[in-house]
Amino acid sequence: MPKGFKSIVITGASSGIGATLALDYAAAGVTLALNGRDDGRLQAVADACRARGATVDARAIDVVDRAALAAWLAAFDDRHPVDLVIANAGISIDKSNSSLDDFSIVRQTLAVNLDGVLNTVEPLVCRLMARGRGQIAVVSSLAGFIGLPYSASYNASKAAVRVWGESIRYALRKSGVGVSVVCPGFVTTRMTAEAPFRMPFLMSAERASAIIRRGLAHNKARIAFPLGTKAAVWLGGVLPGSWTARLLGA
Ligand SMILES: NC(=O)c1ccc[n+]([C@@H]2O[C@H](COP(=O)([O-])OP(=O)(O)OC[C@H]3O[C@@H](n4cnc5c(N)ncnc54)[C@H](OP(=O)(O)O)[C@@H]3O)[C@@H](O)[C@H]2O)c1
């Protein structure tokens, strides 16, 4: 039986994939906790979700702020026991160069993309386990499967999130809590708007949201798409490292 979700947390809901997921989940009887940093864009998404019948608690909090995020999530869960948490907030700021000239960019990327995911899951995971139900989604990327010639810190952060999510799935299964690792290829959002590299198989956020929601409803371990990018990344992973490096230009 596909899972239906009624109390949903989405970080990074002020834009892109997170905003689209929020809108697509928004309906009468659904309560959404939406987070982002830009309060104007976040409240606009919240209003659009309310117009679809959802109850919304939208709060501008930096996911790196562990204490503030934990307090908000715990208070929300007290009122509306969460059955789906999507740790989606992320940044890609090293783009084509890999920021070896400025390690603060590397550290910032790891703080948001990795610590931010941990800060989102940590306050809720014991509560989900105690209730013996619920779904956790961590948003990684197909960029987290092999070292690409650009965005080193982004790729590393997504690899860490992917492996962490895959691992905790085993431990949480015993408690009745599902875990899905979401690995999109290129999706049209603010993040990819000025990417200085080619983006094969680019897809809309609406299409990505549909694939992600279907995967979460079925507690899929890995929601990776689209097929073309997935196949290319798989090939890069199974070839000898020197072949992959040569194919990618090193
Ligand atoms: N687009 C792609 O091709 C692609 C591919 C693979 C994976 N992903 C992943 O999908 C997720 C969503 O990205 P997107 O493409 O939808 O990009 P996006 O449109 O730029 O959205 C990113 C979201 O994360 C939020 N965010 C960033 N840093 C934050 C922080 N420190 N605290 C709280 N919220 C923060 C942003 O909020 P504000 O704008 O309000 O700051 C925004 O809501 C990311 O994890 C990304 O790595 C995207």
Side-chain angles (χ1 to χ4, degrees), residues 12-18 35-38 41 61-64 88-91 112 139-141 154 158 184-187 189-192:
S14 56
S15 170
I17 296 170
N35 148 278
R37 288 170 307 181
D38 184 307
R41 275 193 277 108
I61 301 174
D62 191 322
V63 291
V64 176
N88 165 74
I91 53 172
V112 175
V139 178
S140 171
S141 168
Y154 179 80
K158 293 300 178 181
F186 294 113
V187 180
T189 66
R190 296 166 68 85
M191 183 176 281
T192 49

Side-chain angles (χ1 to χ4, degrees), residues 174-244:
K174 299 185 200 91
S175 311
V177 179
V179 180
S180 299
V181 177
V182 181
C183 301
F186 294 113
V187 180
T188 307
T189 66
R190 296 166 68 85
M191 183 176 281
T192 49
E194 286 164 20
F197 40 75
R198 256 178 19 86
M199 293 187 285
F201 307 107
L202 184 68
M203 71 161 65
S204 70
E206 288 72 20
R207 176 101 187 89
S209 165
I211 295 169
I212 294 168
R213 284 180 291 116
R214 195 177 329 120
L216 294 179
H218 290 93
N219 184 25
K220 272 190 77 173
R222 182 185 293 164
I223 304 169
F225 57 92
L227 190 60
T229 319
K230 204 165 122 175
V233 163
W234 174 82
L235 186 65
V238 295
L239 286 175
S242 56
W243 291 24
T244 303

Side-chain angles (χ1 to χ4, degrees), residues 126-181:
C126 291
R127 290 163 174 256
L128 299 184
M129 287 168 78
R131 293 196 285 268
R133 61 188 178 82
Q135 189 73 20
I136 296 171
V138 297
V139 178
S140 171
S141 168
L142 286 178
F145 283 86
I146 50 172
L148 296 166
Y150 49 80
S151 304
S153 61
Y154 179 80
N155 305 334
S157 69
K158 293 300 178 181
V161 163
R162 175 176 68 80
V163 176
W164 184 71
E166 287 176 355
S167 289
I168 64 167
R169 180 176 165 99
Y170 299 103
L172 288 173
R173 189 170 175 272
K174 299 185 200 91
S175 311
V177 179
V179 180
S180 299
V181 177

Side-chain angles (χ1 to χ4, degrees), residues 4 57 63 66 78 84 86-87 93 120 140 172 195 201 235:
D57 178 350
V63 291
R66 183 179 171 193
D78 286 343
L84 171 62
I86 307 179
I93 51 175
T120 305
S140 171
L172 288 173
F201 307 107
L235 186 65

